[in-house]
Structure formats: structure tokens, C-alpha cells
């Protein structure tokens, strides 16, 4: 095995990001999810100070306290109204400005909003305060969306999960830090709460300066249309060397692969409408939206914004409730730290399902304890409620919290990632906005226990059932591999339907000769052409009905099925590298069949030989593939690769 292959395999076996990627992910999180956590938490312990500010802005004397509470709830909800609008800016900003500059736009917007918040307190203006809340939600939505996209595009498939969890880690750190700093006897008092926003301005200015020196993501650079191919390759190579700490030669080969993969795809970037025309992208986006919606409707919104109020309603005073709130947030830190060690061990799907089920059980317990605390007040019930919320924070931070931020990006290709990010971001903001608008009103009409149960149990139960059926595992896999599996599954369904209709047609045409069925057995073909004819559905017996229906099968689905089958043969025969694109898969097969060494790319490890039967099967599949893809329009790179492949084999 070549040294480049060895280094590649060593890199692929590593699940933890390198130092540069750890630094970049942390920096991006400070300017996005940390700010988001701050905005969610500071109003919780500092509620009384903020209520005094709201009361000072009111001129009406009638229904004074009720009106002040309404204004407070409105100010909290309007943050997510800004997030909804900001979500729609993610794609155009990411595609036209680039990932890095679009992220900087979000951070700058948030810095401006913090300055407006300070001025609102200075001039006692509720209008300025609500405006600042709206603008901060707008800016944070952009920076959070871009932070997730940049992390996914800059990380390798093996380290992507851990790197993406950094966003969740800093969100939980923000909750703990803010819950302490915003306590009424610290900075959460009437006179000092604006200092919290000076702290945020300073932090984000530092982030903004450092981000200026970070390169653009390699996949975004590869999407540029330019006549200077050499300069493009150098830019992508430099980006890979920085983010993945690759050897320059390996990085250059990987850069060439990324550029070729993007250009060969011949796919246009999708907008919010055309995204739904691609079944694979539509499925990934819908799953991402479901996970994000279930996360927002798990009860975390109320716990983040109103935990202190809920605890004081059970009998605790404000200071003790604030201390208990900080204690609750520590369990969120424990949850996200646990996720770092298990997300790439057990996989995304299992982790999400297990944690969602745990949250359903815990929420049932919280509903019961809320009922007991309100009707039979006792210290034991208070302690049990605090314990239940601690468990909630632990499991939430271990699964739905961090995973919902990046799993949609793992389920859709690069061309639709920005558009999918809009839908997931808007889903989260919309769910939180509606919760803050209607929950308090419904809780006043019923009770805390009834409101919590009806708002937060049904959504999670429904989503768990759907995810168990449709959520694919993304651990250690590329989007191209997921798409090949999806196409293979779709093709199998189409093929089964065709075979069933064909059998019905044959049985009705000839009742004296019923259709024969037999087990699938491996038959060594007498010739490659005979095997190709057999797999293409041609035989000595007329099968006109099946042939006509076969032509209606989508060519891209057929291509995905065959590529998936070739990939499986490669894996079974010792291939341990990545199989990211169709050109990559077929080139690996070519090297394997020719017995060549792995000099094409550091991701190929092909110092092995196929047995004779597998080699015949591979050749047959490639020949059929050449015949089928010869009529595909807009795939010149694929056809060129296949032509070179056939020449090498012959």
C-alpha cells in the first residue's frame, strides 16, 4: 500500500477533528449558537428586572400588570419572528456572498442589535427594545445557518459528527454562563442588565476579526465558474490543507476530485421551489424539518424562557429558583459532552430515536409532577420536578438539541444544502414563536400541567414513529452514498412492480403455462453480452410488456442502483476508501480490474484482486451501465469516465 493510501486510511479512522477544525468550529459557534443561547436564557433569571423596564414604558393605568405581561411575552416571541425572516436570507447570502462573508453579515447584524438594546434601556423605549429583539433574531438565524453549513463542508465524513456537535456544546455553555451572570443579585438587576449586552458585543467583535483570516469552504470554492482552472485548484487545495490538515499532495488530489465531482454533476443550485422536484433532497429536507420541529416542540422553549417562573410557582423564591435554573443547565453540558463520545459510535438515527423516546417518558413525568406541585405543594414534589427537568436537559442536549442543527445538511447534496437550511431554520423559529405566543395564554385558561402535556407530547410521539421508518443513518457516509442507496431502493420498488405486472400479463395470456418462479442463484454467464442482455430484461421469450415499462424507469434511479451494486462488490473485495461519486466508484473499479496501484487519489486503496466470478460480474455490470447511460443527457463527465474505464479494461 502506498504511503498516501496509508495516510488516508489513518485519517479516515480518526473520529475527532484536527486542531484547526476544532478552532474554527468553536469560533463559529461563539458567534452563532452561543449568542442564540444567551438570547434564550438571559430573560429567564432577569425576568423581574425586564418586567420593571416594560412597566416603565407603559402609560396606561388600566389592566396594568396584565398588559405588562402581554408586552413581555410579545418581546420574547418577536425574537423568533426575526429568526423566521433571517432564515429566508440564508440561501441567497450563502450562494452570492460565500459561506464566510454571509456568516459575517449575521454577526455584524447581531452586534448592531445589541447596541440598539443598550440604547433602548438608556431611553426607556419599548419600541427600540422589541426592534432589537427582532434584529437579533434575524442576525442569529443567518450566523447559525452558516455555521452549520461551514462545519459540514469543511469536515471529513469521519469527523463531521463531532465537529458539528461543537455548535450544540457552545449553546449549552451559553445557557450555563448566562444563567449565572443574569441572576438578580449579579448582572440581572434593574441597573446592570445592559452590561450583559456589552459582553456580547465584545465577544462578537473578536469573532468577526478572527473570521476574516479563515479561508472559504472547499466545496463552495469548487462551485465557482472560472477559466483559470489552475488557480481554482490551488484555492481549493489551500482550503483543504487548512481545514483538514492534509498533506499538500493529498490535498491537491482531493481538490481535483471535489472540483470534478461538482462539475460532473451538471446540477444547478436549487431554490426553495425546485428543491422539491428532487425526491432525495425533498426527503432529506422534510426529515430535517421534522427533527427540528420536534426539537422545538419538546418543551425546551418553555424551560429556557420560563423555568424560573415555573419553579417559583411551585414555592421557591426568585433567588433560589435562579440558582436551581443554573443547576439545571449543568445537566445540559453533561448531555452534550456525552454526545461527543457516542454520536459516531452508535450513529445519528439510534441516538435521536432513543433520546426522543426518553424525552417523551420524562415529559409524562413532568406533567404529573406539575399537577402534584400545583394541587399538593410539598418540598419532595419540588425536588422531583427539578430532577425531572435535569434529566430532560441531559437527554435533550445529548440528542435532539445538537443533532437537529446539522443532520439536514448530511441528508441533502451540496447544491440544495442552503435551501434546506432555510426550511429547517424557519421551522425552528416558527415553532418557538407560536409556542411563546400561545402557550402562556393556554396555560392561564387551563393549568401548567395540561398546557405542557398538550403542547409537547403529541409532536414528539408522531415524529418518533415517522423517523423510525424514514430516517437513514448518516454516520461516516457521504451524501452521494446516501443518494445511491435511496435510488437503489426506489429502483427495487419500480422493478418489483414491473415484475409483478409482467407475471400477471403472462399468466392471463397463457393459462396453460403458469409463470415460473425460482430462487435467485448465481449463474456464471457464458459471455458478457449474454449477461448484459439478461440483466437488461432481454431474453429469448418475448417480454414486451416488461420491456415497455422498463423504459419508463428513471435513468438516474437506475444509475444509482447499479453504482450501489458496484460499490458493494468493491467493499466486499477489500476496498476501504471512500466512494463519493459515480466517477470515483467506477475509477476505483477500473484500478481494481487492471491491478494498478492506488496513485489516482489518496482515497483509493486497491492493492487487491477480484476473484474470477466477481470480475466477470463487474465487467457485465459496467457494460450494461455503458449501454444505459449512453442516452443520458447532460452527463459528459460520466460518459467520458466510462469510456476511459472500458478502454482500460480491454
Amino acid at each position: 500500500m502506498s504511503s498516501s493510501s496509508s495516510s488516508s486510511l489513518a485519517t479516515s479512522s480518526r473520529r475527532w477533528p484536527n486542531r484547526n477544525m476544532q478552532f474554527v468550529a468553536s469560533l463559529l459557534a461563539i458567534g452563532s449558537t452561543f449568542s442564540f443561547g444567551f438570547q434564550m436564557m438571559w430573560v429567564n433569571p432577569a425576568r423581574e428586572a425586564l418586567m420593571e423596564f416594560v412597566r416603565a414604558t407603559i402609560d396606561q393605568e388600566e389592566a396594568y400588570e396584565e398588559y405588562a405581561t402581554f408586552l413581555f411575552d410579545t418581546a420574547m416571541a418577536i425574537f423568533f419572528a426575526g429568526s423566521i425572516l433571517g432564515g429566508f436570507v440564508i440561501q441567497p447570502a450563502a450562494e452570492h456572498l460565500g459561506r464566510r462573508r454571509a456568516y459575517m453579515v449575521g454577526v455584524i447584524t447581531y452586534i448592531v442589535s445589541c447596541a440598539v438594546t443598550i440604547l433602548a434601556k438608556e431611553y426607556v423605549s419599548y419600541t427600540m427594545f422589541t426592534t432589537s429583539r427582532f434584529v437579533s433574531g434575524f442576525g442569529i438565524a443567518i450566523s447559525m445557518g452558516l455555521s452549520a453549513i461551514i462545519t459540514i463542508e469543511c469536515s471529513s465524513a469521519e469527523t463531521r459528527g463531532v465537529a458539528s456537535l461543537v455548535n450544540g456544546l457552545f449553546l449549552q455553555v451559553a445557557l450555563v454562563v448566562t444563567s449565572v451572570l443574569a441572576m438578580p443579585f449579579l448582572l440581572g438587576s434593574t441597573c446592570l442588565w445592559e452590561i450583559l449586552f456589552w459582553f456580547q458585543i465584545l465577544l462578537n467583535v473578536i469573532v468577526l476579526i478572527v473570521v476574516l483570516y479563515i479561508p472559504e469552504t472547499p466545496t463552495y470554492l469548487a462551485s465557482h465558474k472560472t477559466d483559470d482552472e489552475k488557480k481554482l485548484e490551488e484555492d481549493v487545495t489551500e482550503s483543504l490543507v487548512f481545514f483538514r490538515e492534509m498533506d499538500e499532495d493529498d490535498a491537491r488530489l482531493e481538490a481535483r476530485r471535489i472540483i470534478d465531482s461538482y462539475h460532473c454533476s451538471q446540477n444547478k443550485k436549487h431554490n426553495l421551489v425546485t428543491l422539491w422536484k428532487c425526491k432525495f433532497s425533498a426527503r432529506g429536507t422534510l426529515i430535517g424539518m421534522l427533527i427540528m420541529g420536534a426539537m422545538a416542540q419538546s418543551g425546551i422553549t418553555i424551560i429556557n424562557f420560563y423555568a424560573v417562573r415555573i419553579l417559583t410557582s411551585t414555592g421557591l423564591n426568585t433567588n433560589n429558583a435562579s440558582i436551581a435554573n443554573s443547576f439545571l443547565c449543568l445537566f445540559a453540558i453533561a448531555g452534550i459532552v456525552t454526545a461527543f463520545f457516542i454520536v459516531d459510535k452508535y450513529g445519528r438515527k439510534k441516538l435521536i430515536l432513543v433520546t426522543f423516546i426518553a424525552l417523551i417518558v420524562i415529559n409524562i413525568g413532568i406533567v404529573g409532577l406539575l399537577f402534584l406541585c400545583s394541587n399538593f405543594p410539598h418540598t419532595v414534589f419540588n425536588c422531583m420536578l427539578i430532577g425531572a427537568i435535569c434529566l430532560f436537559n441531559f437527554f435533550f442536549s445529548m440528542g435532539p438539541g445538537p443533532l437537529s442543527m446539522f443532520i439536514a445538511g448530511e441528508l441533502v447534496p451540496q447544491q440544495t444544502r442552503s435551501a434546506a437550511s432555510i426550511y429547517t431554520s424557519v421551522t425552528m423559529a416558527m415553532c418557538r414563536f407560536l409556542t411563546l405566543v400561545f402557550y402562556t395564554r393556554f396555560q392561564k385558561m387551563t393549568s401548567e400541567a395540561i398546557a405542557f402535556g398538550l403542547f409537547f407530547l403529541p409532536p414528539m410521539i408522531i415524529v418518533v414513529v415517522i423517523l423510525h421508518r424514514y430516517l437513514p443513518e448518516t454516520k461516516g457516509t457521504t451524501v452521494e452514498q446516501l443518494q445511491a442507496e435511496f435510488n437503489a431502493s426506489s429502483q427495487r420498488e419500480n422493478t418489483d412492480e414491473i415484475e409483478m405486472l409482467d407475471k400477471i400479463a403472462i399468466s392471463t395470456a397463457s393459462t396453460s403455462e403458469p409463470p415460473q418462479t425460482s430462487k435467485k442463484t448465481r449463474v456464471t454467464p457464458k459471455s458478457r453480452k449474454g449477461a448484459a442482455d439478461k440483466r437488461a430484461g432481454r431474453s429469448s421469450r418475448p417480454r414486451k410488456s416488461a420491456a415497455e415499462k422498463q423504459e419508463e424507469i428513471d435513468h438516474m434511479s437506475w444509475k444509482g442502483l447499479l453504482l450501489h451494486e458496484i460499490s458493494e462488490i468493491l467493499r466486499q473485495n477489500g476496498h476501504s476508501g471512500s466512494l463519493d461519486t459515480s466517477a470515483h466508484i467506477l475509477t476505483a473499479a477500473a484500478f481494481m480490474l487492471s491491478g494498478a496501484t492506488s496513485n489516482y487519489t489518496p482515497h483509493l486503496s486497491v492493492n487487491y484482486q477480484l476473484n474470477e466470478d466477481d470480475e466477470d460480474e463487474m465487467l457485465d455490470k459496467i457494460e450494461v451501465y455503458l449501454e444505459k447511460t449512453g442516452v443520458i443527457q447532460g452527463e459528459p463527465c460520466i460518459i467520458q469516465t466510462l469510456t476511459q474505464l472500458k478502454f482500460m479494461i480491454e
Side-chain angles (χ1 to χ4, degrees), residues 126-280:
Y126 179 79
T127 302
M128 292 180 68
F129 180 74
T130 53
T131 301
S132 71
R133 292 282 295 173
F134 182 88
V135 175
S136 64
F138 178 86
I140 289 176
I142 297 173
S143 60
M144 281 183 65
L146 269 299
S147 177
I149 291 174
I150 293 172
T151 303
I152 289 173
E153 293 185 353
C154 294
S155 304
S156 62
E158 293 77 15
T159 63
R160 188 178 59 219
V162 174
S164 298
L165 284 176
V166 173
N167 279 313
L169 173 64
F170 274 87
L171 193 155
Q172 305 307 328
V173 170
L175 296 179
V176 174
V177 172
T178 308
S179 67
V180 173
L181 293 179
M183 285 183 181
F185 50 86
L186 292 178
L187 299 180
S189 64
T190 305
C191 301
L192 299 177
W193 63 262
E194 74 274 14
I195 297 178
L196 295 169
F197 290 88
W198 283 114
F199 166 71
Q200 277 285 279
I201 290 175
L202 176 63
L203 205 60
N204 281 272
V205 167
I206 295 173
V207 169
L208 197 62
I209 294 172
V210 178
V211 168
L212 287 170
Y213 299 95
I214 294 175
E216 186 56 84
T217 68
T219 52
Y220 178 77
L221 290 172
S223 68
H224 286 176
K225 294 182 179 179
T226 178
D227 295 331
D228 192 349
E229 290 290 333
K230 185 176 180 180
K231 178 65 166 60
L232 176 62
E233 184 175 326
E234 289 178 355
D235 291 341
V236 177
T237 300
E238 290 177 4
S239 180
L240 288 169
V241 169
F242 177 83
F243 287 114
R244 302 187 188 178
E245 294 186 354
M246 301 175 69
D247 179 81
E248 187 170 351
D249 292 336
D250 291 348
R252 192 172 299 279
L253 291 169
E254 178 67 5
R256 190 70 261 164
R257 185 194 67 79
I258 292 174
I259 294 170
D260 290 343
S261 173
Y262 186 86
H263 290 168
C264 285
S265 67
Q266 296 293 316
N267 289 329
K268 296 180 180 179
K269 289 183 174 65
H270 291 273
N271 56 36
L272 294 177
V273 177
T274 59
L275 176 148
W276 301 106
K277 296 180 180 180
C278 173
K279 292 182 180 179
F280 176 73

Side-chain angles (χ1 to χ4, degrees), residues 355-399:
T355 50
F356 264 134
I357 292 172
L359 290 177
I360 291 171
V361 174
I362 293 169
N363 275 359
I364 293 173
I366 290 176
V367 169
L369 290 169
L370 286 172
F371 174 80
L372 292 174
C373 288
S374 60
N375 292 279
F376 309 98
H378 197 279
T379 305
V380 174
F381 295 147
N382 292 342
C383 293
M384 291 177 66
L385 178 60
I386 293 174
I389 298 177
C390 286
L391 287 176
F392 178 95
N393 280 346
F394 177 81
F395 282 100
F396 176 86
S397 301
M398 189 169 64

Side-chain angles (χ1 to χ4, degrees), residues 95 116-117 121 134 178 181 233 238 288 392 416 421 462 502 543 562 577 617:
E95 302 299 345
V116 175
T117 303
K121 183 177 186 296
F134 182 88
T178 308
L181 293 179
E233 184 175 326
E238 290 177 4
F392 178 95
T416 60
S421 180
I462 294 171
D502 189 45
R543 299 172 63 89
L562 189 52
E617 184 175 351

